[in-house]
Amino acid sequence: WYRRSLEVPPRSLGEGGGAYTFWLSARDASSGAVGGAGWVGSVHAPPLGGSLAVAPSDGLAMYTPFEMEAHGWHDDPDDLPLTYLFEHSAVEPISLDQASQPATAQAAATQYAPLADASSGRSLRAALPKGRGAHSTVLVRLTVCDAYGGCSAPAASPPIRVRSRRS
């Protein structure tokens, strides 16, 4: 193994937070001399433990006010304030079973657009555009970030049905 640096991929130490020790040792191939170096430090934890609620679960495009609310997010007091980014995407579920399941897996591979700028407000009231497909499906997701730029994994809503006003 011949590398001059050690890279730790994002989230490979879990969600973050905690103390870690790295120790590197090497042996010179020609002399047999051994040397080493260590690092002890902590890793910043992003906001954790929260969820996203959206109501109602069915409405009319660009007419029905949807209430989106972040619940239970927490972080170290030194990392405050938190900011909340609500985003949406019109998607077409693969099956009726998928339409009734939490959208986490589908959300990961979907393109999202912000509903508003990130702010310290834990809730947002907004109309949503028409969904796609036979189920007129829209997904909403929330990303919560702290003052140091540590951001949560996005929390996704269950699929929301947003129909055109003509249907």
Side-chain angles (χ1 to χ4, degrees):
W1 187 56
Y2 299 96
R3 293 201 61 175
R4 294 179 182 214
S5 63
L6 173 66
E7 295 180 20
V8 180
R11 300 197 191 283
S12 64
L13 300 175
E15 290 296 319
Y20 296 90
T21 301
F22 289 95
W23 180 257
L24 174 67
S25 62
R27 180 184 308 266
D28 183 275
S30 59
S31 71
V34 176
W39 175 83
V40 177
S42 61
V43 177
H44 177 75
L48 296 171
S51 62
L52 167 65
V54 180
S57 60
D58 189 324
L60 298 176
M62 305 311 293
Y63 182 77
T64 302
F66 288 87
E67 300 285 342
M68 293 152 263
E69 190 165 1
H71 294 284
W73 293 93
H74 57 86
D75 205 346
D76 294 329
D78 293 339
D79 298 351
L80 301 177
L82 299 180
T83 58
Y84 302 85
L85 176 63
F86 296 90
E87 299 173 291
H88 77 285
S89 180
V91 296
E92 186 167 356
I94 295 169
S95 68
L96 285 173
D97 289 337
Q98 185 177 4
S100 65
Q101 298 295 319
T104 306
Q106 186 177 0
T110 302
Q111 296 284 330
Y112 283 83
L115 285 162
D117 291 336
S119 75
S120 61
R122 288 194 268 192
S123 63
L124 178 68
R125 182 178 182 165
L128 295 172
K130 180 185 178 306
R132 282 198 195 153
H135 305 292
S136 298
T137 304
V138 172
L139 296 178
V140 174
R141 78 175 180 185
L142 167 69
T143 303
V144 182
C145 299
D146 64 26
Y148 295 103
C151 295
S152 67
S157 72
I160 301 162
R161 185 170 184 220
V162 184
R163 300 168 279 117
S164 71
R165 292 176 74 178
R166 294 184 299 263
S167 50

